[in-house]
Amino acid sequence: NAGVTQTPKFRILKIGQSMTLQCTQDMNHNYMYWYRQDPGMGLKLIYYSVGAGITDKGEVPNGYNVSRSTTEDFPLRLELAAPSQTSVYFCASSYTTSGRHYEQYFGPGTRLTVT
Amino acid sequence: TQLLEQSPQFLSIQEGENLTVYCNSSSVFSSLQWYRQEPGEGPVLLVTVVTGGEVKKLKRLTFQFGDARKDSSLHITAAQPGDTGLYLCAGGGAGSYQLTFGKGTKLSVIP
């Protein structure tokens, strides 16, 4: 299994441009998440999904959109890039253990710079 | 809002030394997970603890969940350069598929 894969690895955007960050998992996990990580600030949840067709906002959703048409894919869309969106973005997926504890598996990240 | 405070924020030690990092909260969690993140990579799950007072060992790493399930610690014995990385703790609520992450402890082990 490849686990969670993300593309691209790096991207530089100009202010106002749009892009989609791709995320795919091959573990048949129902739950998927998008986080951003800024230096010294930990992981902030942007959006999450509990299954195909179902998405919801996390802690910092402004400026982003998501869709979940299949179990495997969970793309993150930036419509009008702003310098505040310069960050490292991580996609994760999880399953529920027998004890109902959700252990998350992360992709390698996308480093985005908006100038 | 549940918060997890990790300390210290940075730690630089010599190879062979022991160290402990802490993860504290005023909230009760049903589970506490520890992740390690290497530069340029995503976090990787190390362990999950679920019972108050629980201790788990992973080679030279010892994880403990506080009796009240509000805090946790990670102890590393005889640290090696390969232990270098960002250590993140994350708390889960009962039946919740979302995790609350701490800001992390950045560990550097100098050969």
PDB file of all heavy atoms in Angstrom, chain A residues 2-9 22 24 88-91 105-111, chain B residues 37-43:
ATOM      1  N   ALA A   2       0.456   2.250  -0.784  1.00  0.00           N
ATOM      2  CA  ALA A   2       1.188   3.508  -0.814  1.00  0.00           C
ATOM      3  C   ALA A   2       0.833   4.365   0.390  1.00  0.00           C
ATOM      4  O   ALA A   2       1.546   5.299   0.725  1.00  0.00           O
ATOM      5  CB  ALA A   2       0.877   4.262  -2.099  1.00  0.00           C
ATOM      6  N   GLY A   3      -0.315   4.118   1.032  1.00  0.00           N
ATOM      7  CA  GLY A   3      -0.742   4.930   2.160  1.00  0.00           C
ATOM      8  C   GLY A   3      -1.435   6.182   1.673  1.00  0.00           C
ATOM      9  O   GLY A   3      -2.327   6.125   0.829  1.00  0.00           O
ATOM     10  N   VAL A   4      -1.011   7.348   2.189  1.00  0.00           N
ATOM     11  CA  VAL A   4      -1.572   8.633   1.791  1.00  0.00           C
ATOM     12  C   VAL A   4      -0.557   9.338   0.895  1.00  0.00           C
ATOM     13  O   VAL A   4       0.597   9.522   1.289  1.00  0.00           O
ATOM     14  CB  VAL A   4      -1.885   9.522   3.012  1.00  0.00           C
ATOM     15  CG1 VAL A   4      -2.462  10.859   2.553  1.00  0.00           C
ATOM     16  CG2 VAL A   4      -2.843   8.818   3.956  1.00  0.00           C
ATOM     17  N   THR A   5      -0.980   9.684  -0.303  1.00  0.00           N
ATOM     18  CA  THR A   5      -0.098  10.395  -1.231  1.00  0.00           C
ATOM     19  C   THR A   5      -0.643  11.780  -1.504  1.00  0.00           C
ATOM     20  O   THR A   5      -1.872  11.985  -1.557  1.00  0.00           O
ATOM     21  CB  THR A   5       0.067   9.634  -2.557  1.00  0.00           C
ATOM     22  OG1 THR A   5      -1.229   9.424  -3.134  1.00  0.00           O
ATOM     23  CG2 THR A   5       0.722   8.284  -2.327  1.00  0.00           C
ATOM     24  N   GLN A   6       0.279  12.731  -1.655  1.00  0.00           N
ATOM     25  CA  GLN A   6      -0.092  14.122  -1.924  1.00  0.00           C
ATOM     26  C   GLN A   6       0.722  14.649  -3.093  1.00  0.00           C
ATOM     27  O   GLN A   6       1.916  14.356  -3.215  1.00  0.00           O
ATOM     28  CB  GLN A   6       0.212  15.014  -0.704  1.00  0.00           C
ATOM     29  CG  GLN A   6      -0.664  14.757   0.491  1.00  0.00           C
ATOM     30  CD  GLN A   6      -0.350  15.717   1.630  1.00  0.00           C
ATOM     31  OE1 GLN A   6       0.016  15.303   2.728  1.00  0.00           O
ATOM     32  NE2 GLN A   6      -0.509  17.021   1.366  1.00  0.00           N
ATOM     33  N   THR A   7       0.074  15.439  -3.916  1.00  0.00           N
ATOM     34  CA  THR A   7       0.774  16.156  -4.991  1.00  0.00           C
ATOM     35  C   THR A   7       0.219  17.566  -5.094  1.00  0.00           C
ATOM     36  O   THR A   7      -0.969  17.800  -4.825  1.00  0.00           O
ATOM     37  CB  THR A   7       0.603  15.450  -6.350  1.00  0.00           C
ATOM     38  OG1 THR A   7      -0.784  15.328  -6.644  1.00  0.00           O
ATOM     39  CG2 THR A   7       1.269  14.087  -6.353  1.00  0.00           C
ATOM     40  N   PRO A   8       1.054  18.569  -5.471  1.00  0.00           N
ATOM     41  CA  PRO A   8       2.492  18.452  -5.665  1.00  0.00           C
ATOM     42  C   PRO A   8       3.237  18.474  -4.346  1.00  0.00           C
ATOM     43  O   PRO A   8       2.635  18.678  -3.302  1.00  0.00           O
ATOM     44  CB  PRO A   8       2.806  19.705  -6.492  1.00  0.00           C
ATOM     45  CG  PRO A   8       1.820  20.713  -5.992  1.00  0.00           C
ATOM     46  CD  PRO A   8       0.555  19.950  -5.701  1.00  0.00           C
ATOM     47  N   LYS A   9       4.535  18.313  -4.367  1.00  0.00           N
ATOM     48  CA  LYS A   9       5.371  18.383  -3.186  1.00  0.00           C
ATOM     49  C   LYS A   9       5.663  19.847  -2.822  1.00  0.00           C
ATOM     50  O   LYS A   9       5.696  20.215  -1.650  1.00  0.00           O
ATOM     51  CB  LYS A   9       6.679  17.637  -3.434  1.00  0.00           C
ATOM     52  CG  LYS A   9       7.595  17.561  -2.220  1.00  0.00           C
ATOM     53  CD  LYS A   9       7.145  16.505  -1.230  1.00  0.00           C
ATOM     54  CE  LYS A   9       8.206  16.281  -0.162  1.00  0.00           C
ATOM     55  NZ  LYS A   9       7.731  15.387   0.905  1.00  0.00           N
ATOM     56  N   GLN A  22      -3.815  17.808  -4.288  1.00  0.00           N
ATOM     57  CA  GLN A  22      -4.400  16.484  -4.418  1.00  0.00           C
ATOM     58  C   GLN A  22      -4.013  15.586  -3.243  1.00  0.00           C
ATOM     59  O   GLN A  22      -2.902  15.676  -2.716  1.00  0.00           O
ATOM     60  CB  GLN A  22      -3.940  15.827  -5.727  1.00  0.00           C
ATOM     61  CG  GLN A  22      -4.295  16.600  -6.979  1.00  0.00           C
ATOM     62  CD  GLN A  22      -5.787  16.637  -7.265  1.00  0.00           C
ATOM     63  OE1 GLN A  22      -6.565  15.865  -6.700  1.00  0.00           O
ATOM     64  NE2 GLN A  22      -6.195  17.559  -8.126  1.00  0.00           N
ATOM     65  N   THR A  24      -4.720  11.365  -2.008  1.00  0.00           N
ATOM     66  CA  THR A  24      -5.306  10.050  -2.281  1.00  0.00           C
ATOM     67  C   THR A  24      -4.830   9.065  -1.227  1.00  0.00           C
ATOM     68  O   THR A  24      -3.652   9.068  -0.868  1.00  0.00           O
ATOM     69  CB  THR A  24      -4.895   9.548  -3.671  1.00  0.00           C
ATOM     70  OG1 THR A  24      -5.366  10.447  -4.666  1.00  0.00           O
ATOM     71  CG2 THR A  24      -5.484   8.170  -3.937  1.00  0.00           C
ATOM     72  N   VAL A  88       2.660  24.697   5.098  1.00  0.00           N
ATOM     73  CA  VAL A  88       2.805  23.308   4.674  1.00  0.00           C
ATOM     74  C   VAL A  88       1.468  22.626   4.938  1.00  0.00           C
ATOM     75  O   VAL A  88       0.925  22.718   6.042  1.00  0.00           O
ATOM     76  CB  VAL A  88       3.932  22.583   5.426  1.00  0.00           C
ATOM     77  CG1 VAL A  88       4.065  21.156   4.915  1.00  0.00           C
ATOM     78  CG2 VAL A  88       5.254  23.333   5.266  1.00  0.00           C
ATOM     79  N   TYR A  89       0.947  21.961   3.921  1.00  0.00           N
ATOM     80  CA  TYR A  89      -0.370  21.340   4.005  1.00  0.00           C
ATOM     81  C   TYR A  89      -0.233  19.825   4.073  1.00  0.00           C
ATOM     82  O   TYR A  89       0.469  19.213   3.269  1.00  0.00           O
ATOM     83  CB  TYR A  89      -1.210  21.731   2.788  1.00  0.00           C
ATOM     84  CG  TYR A  89      -1.586  23.195   2.796  1.00  0.00           C
ATOM     85  CD1 TYR A  89      -0.710  24.158   2.293  1.00  0.00           C
ATOM     86  CD2 TYR A  89      -2.790  23.621   3.345  1.00  0.00           C
ATOM     87  CE1 TYR A  89      -1.034  25.503   2.328  1.00  0.00           C
ATOM     88  CE2 TYR A  89      -3.127  24.973   3.378  1.00  0.00           C
ATOM     89  CZ  TYR A  89      -2.232  25.900   2.873  1.00  0.00           C
ATOM     90  OH  TYR A  89      -2.559  27.234   2.910  1.00  0.00           O
ATOM     91  N   PHE A  90      -0.927  19.239   5.046  1.00  0.00           N
ATOM     92  CA  PHE A  90      -0.911  17.790   5.211  1.00  0.00           C
ATOM     93  C   PHE A  90      -2.318  17.230   5.082  1.00  0.00           C
ATOM     94  O   PHE A  90      -3.264  17.765   5.659  1.00  0.00           O
ATOM     95  CB  PHE A  90      -0.352  17.402   6.574  1.00  0.00           C
ATOM     96  CG  PHE A  90       1.117  17.647   6.707  1.00  0.00           C
ATOM     97  CD1 PHE A  90       1.597  18.765   7.362  1.00  0.00           C
ATOM     98  CD2 PHE A  90       2.030  16.749   6.163  1.00  0.00           C
ATOM     99  CE1 PHE A  90       2.954  19.003   7.479  1.00  0.00           C
ATOM    100  CE2 PHE A  90       3.397  16.979   6.272  1.00  0.00           C
ATOM    101  CZ  PHE A  90       3.855  18.110   6.923  1.00  0.00           C
ATOM    102  N   CYS A  91      -2.403  16.151   4.349  1.00  0.00           N
ATOM    103  CA  CYS A  91      -3.626  15.365   4.263  1.00  0.00           C
ATOM    104  C   CYS A  91      -3.444  14.139   5.158  1.00  0.00           C
ATOM    105  O   CYS A  91      -2.330  13.604   5.263  1.00  0.00           O
ATOM    106  CB  CYS A  91      -3.853  14.945   2.812  1.00  0.00           C
ATOM    107  SG  CYS A  91      -5.309  13.936   2.534  1.00  0.00           S
ATOM    108  N   TYR A 105      -3.150   8.725   9.713  1.00  0.00           N
ATOM    109  CA  TYR A 105      -2.016   8.463   8.843  1.00  0.00           C
ATOM    110  C   TYR A 105      -1.863   9.659   7.909  1.00  0.00           C
ATOM    111  O   TYR A 105      -2.822  10.049   7.236  1.00  0.00           O
ATOM    112  CB  TYR A 105      -2.247   7.177   8.035  1.00  0.00           C
ATOM    113  CG  TYR A 105      -2.277   5.953   8.896  1.00  0.00           C
ATOM    114  CD1 TYR A 105      -3.401   5.626   9.641  1.00  0.00           C
ATOM    115  CD2 TYR A 105      -1.153   5.133   9.010  1.00  0.00           C
ATOM    116  CE1 TYR A 105      -3.421   4.514  10.459  1.00  0.00           C
ATOM    117  CE2 TYR A 105      -1.164   4.017   9.818  1.00  0.00           C
ATOM    118  CZ  TYR A 105      -2.307   3.719  10.543  1.00  0.00           C
ATOM    119  OH  TYR A 105      -2.321   2.617  11.368  1.00  0.00           O
ATOM    120  N   PHE A 106      -0.664  10.202   7.878  1.00  0.00           N
ATOM    121  CA  PHE A 106      -0.426  11.445   7.169  1.00  0.00           C
ATOM    122  C   PHE A 106       0.309  11.225   5.841  1.00  0.00           C
ATOM    123  O   PHE A 106       1.121  10.307   5.707  1.00  0.00           O
ATOM    124  CB  PHE A 106       0.417  12.396   8.018  1.00  0.00           C
ATOM    125  CG  PHE A 106      -0.346  13.023   9.147  1.00  0.00           C
ATOM    126  CD1 PHE A 106      -0.569  12.332  10.324  1.00  0.00           C
ATOM    127  CD2 PHE A 106      -0.856  14.300   9.021  1.00  0.00           C
ATOM    128  CE1 PHE A 106      -1.278  12.907  11.365  1.00  0.00           C
ATOM    129  CE2 PHE A 106      -1.569  14.893  10.057  1.00  0.00           C
ATOM    130  CZ  PHE A 106      -1.779  14.188  11.225  1.00  0.00           C
ATOM    131  N   GLY A 107       0.037  12.113   4.898  1.00  0.00           N
ATOM    132  CA  GLY A 107       0.815  12.173   3.677  1.00  0.00           C
ATOM    133  C   GLY A 107       2.101  12.951   3.900  1.00  0.00           C
ATOM    134  O   GLY A 107       2.330  13.480   5.002  1.00  0.00           O
ATOM    135  N   PRO A 108       2.945  13.063   2.867  1.00  0.00           N
ATOM    136  CA  PRO A 108       4.239  13.722   3.008  1.00  0.00           C
ATOM    137  C   PRO A 108       4.172  15.238   2.992  1.00  0.00           C
ATOM    138  O   PRO A 108       5.173  15.900   3.269  1.00  0.00           O
ATOM    139  CB  PRO A 108       5.031  13.202   1.809  1.00  0.00           C
ATOM    140  CG  PRO A 108       3.990  12.915   0.792  1.00  0.00           C
ATOM    141  CD  PRO A 108       2.787  12.428   1.561  1.00  0.00           C
ATOM    142  N   GLY A 109       3.035  15.815   2.648  1.00  0.00           N
ATOM    143  CA  GLY A 109       2.878  17.263   2.704  1.00  0.00           C
ATOM    144  C   GLY A 109       3.105  17.964   1.382  1.00  0.00           C
ATOM    145  O   GLY A 109       3.781  17.446   0.473  1.00  0.00           O
ATOM    146  N   THR A 110       2.503  19.150   1.265  1.00  0.00           N
ATOM    147  CA  THR A 110       2.726  20.063   0.139  1.00  0.00           C
ATOM    148  C   THR A 110       3.172  21.389   0.722  1.00  0.00           C
ATOM    149  O   THR A 110       2.471  21.981   1.544  1.00  0.00           O
ATOM    150  CB  THR A 110       1.436  20.290  -0.680  1.00  0.00           C
ATOM    151  OG1 THR A 110       1.056  19.083  -1.320  1.00  0.00           O
ATOM    152  CG2 THR A 110       1.655  21.380  -1.724  1.00  0.00           C
ATOM    153  N   ARG A 111       4.349  21.852   0.300  1.00  0.00           N
ATOM    154  CA  ARG A 111       4.863  23.139   0.777  1.00  0.00           C
ATOM    155  C   ARG A 111       4.454  24.208  -0.216  1.00  0.00           C
ATOM    156  O   ARG A 111       4.903  24.192  -1.364  1.00  0.00           O
ATOM    157  CB  ARG A 111       6.381  23.084   0.924  1.00  0.00           C
ATOM    158  CG  ARG A 111       6.985  24.360   1.524  1.00  0.00           C
ATOM    159  CD  ARG A 111       8.481  24.194   1.752  1.00  0.00           C
ATOM    160  NE  ARG A 111       8.764  23.187   2.758  1.00  0.00           N
ATOM    161  CZ  ARG A 111       8.800  23.401   4.060  1.00  0.00           C
ATOM    162  NH1 ARG A 111       8.590  24.629   4.529  1.00  0.00           N
ATOM    163  NH2 ARG A 111       9.073  22.435   4.902  1.00  0.00           N
TER     164      ARG A 111
ATOM    165  N   GLN B  37       7.655  13.637  13.698  1.00  0.00           N
ATOM    166  CA  GLN B  37       7.714  14.209  12.367  1.00  0.00           C
ATOM    167  C   GLN B  37       9.157  14.587  12.044  1.00  0.00           C
ATOM    168  O   GLN B  37       9.771  15.371  12.772  1.00  0.00           O
ATOM    169  CB  GLN B  37       6.820  15.450  12.275  1.00  0.00           C
ATOM    170  CG  GLN B  37       6.757  16.073  10.898  1.00  0.00           C
ATOM    171  CD  GLN B  37       5.846  17.277  10.848  1.00  0.00           C
ATOM    172  OE1 GLN B  37       5.458  17.852  11.873  1.00  0.00           O
ATOM    173  NE2 GLN B  37       5.469  17.697   9.655  1.00  0.00           N
ATOM    174  N   GLU B  38       9.688  14.039  10.972  1.00  0.00           N
ATOM    175  CA  GLU B  38      11.033  14.377  10.524  1.00  0.00           C
ATOM    176  C   GLU B  38      10.938  15.502   9.504  1.00  0.00           C
ATOM    177  O   GLU B  38       9.899  15.683   8.862  1.00  0.00           O
ATOM    178  CB  GLU B  38      11.715  13.134   9.963  1.00  0.00           C
ATOM    179  CG  GLU B  38      11.859  12.041  11.010  1.00  0.00           C
ATOM    180  CD  GLU B  38      12.668  10.860  10.527  1.00  0.00           C
ATOM    181  OE1 GLU B  38      13.327  10.973   9.479  1.00  0.00           O
ATOM    182  OE2 GLU B  38      12.640   9.812  11.197  1.00  0.00           O
ATOM    183  N   PRO B  39      12.005  16.278   9.350  1.00  0.00           N
ATOM    184  CA  PRO B  39      11.974  17.423   8.428  1.00  0.00           C
ATOM    185  C   PRO B  39      11.542  17.021   7.023  1.00  0.00           C
ATOM    186  O   PRO B  39      12.035  16.036   6.473  1.00  0.00           O
ATOM    187  CB  PRO B  39      13.433  17.908   8.445  1.00  0.00           C
ATOM    188  CG  PRO B  39      13.946  17.491   9.777  1.00  0.00           C
ATOM    189  CD  PRO B  39      13.289  16.179  10.077  1.00  0.00           C
ATOM    190  N   GLY B  40      10.568  17.747   6.469  1.00  0.00           N
ATOM    191  CA  GLY B  40      10.110  17.485   5.114  1.00  0.00           C
ATOM    192  C   GLY B  40       9.163  16.308   4.981  1.00  0.00           C
ATOM    193  O   GLY B  40       8.820  15.925   3.865  1.00  0.00           O
ATOM    194  N   GLU B  41       8.733  15.749   6.102  1.00  0.00           N
ATOM    195  CA  GLU B  41       7.848  14.587   6.075  1.00  0.00           C
ATOM    196  C   GLU B  41       6.593  14.857   6.890  1.00  0.00           C
ATOM    197  O   GLU B  41       6.513  15.812   7.657  1.00  0.00           O
ATOM    198  CB  GLU B  41       8.564  13.358   6.639  1.00  0.00           C
ATOM    199  CG  GLU B  41       9.833  12.972   5.903  1.00  0.00           C
ATOM    200  CD  GLU B  41       9.561  12.470   4.505  1.00  0.00           C
ATOM    201  OE1 GLU B  41       8.467  11.925   4.253  1.00  0.00           O
ATOM    202  OE2 GLU B  41      10.461  12.649   3.642  1.00  0.00           O
ATOM    203  N   GLY B  42       5.599  13.979   6.726  1.00  0.00           N
ATOM    204  CA  GLY B  42       4.407  14.070   7.549  1.00  0.00           C
ATOM    205  C   GLY B  42       4.603  13.365   8.883  1.00  0.00           C
ATOM    206  O   GLY B  42       5.496  12.539   9.030  1.00  0.00           O
ATOM    207  N   PRO B  43       3.768  13.687   9.879  1.00  0.00           N
ATOM    208  CA  PRO B  43       3.848  13.002  11.183  1.00  0.00           C
ATOM    209  C   PRO B  43       3.578  11.499  11.033  1.00  0.00           C
ATOM    210  O   PRO B  43       2.761  11.085  10.210  1.00  0.00           O
ATOM    211  CB  PRO B  43       2.743  13.678  12.000  1.00  0.00           C
ATOM    212  CG  PRO B  43       2.504  14.994  11.333  1.00  0.00           C
ATOM    213  CD  PRO B  43       2.738  14.746   9.888  1.00  0.00           C
TER     214      PRO B  43
END
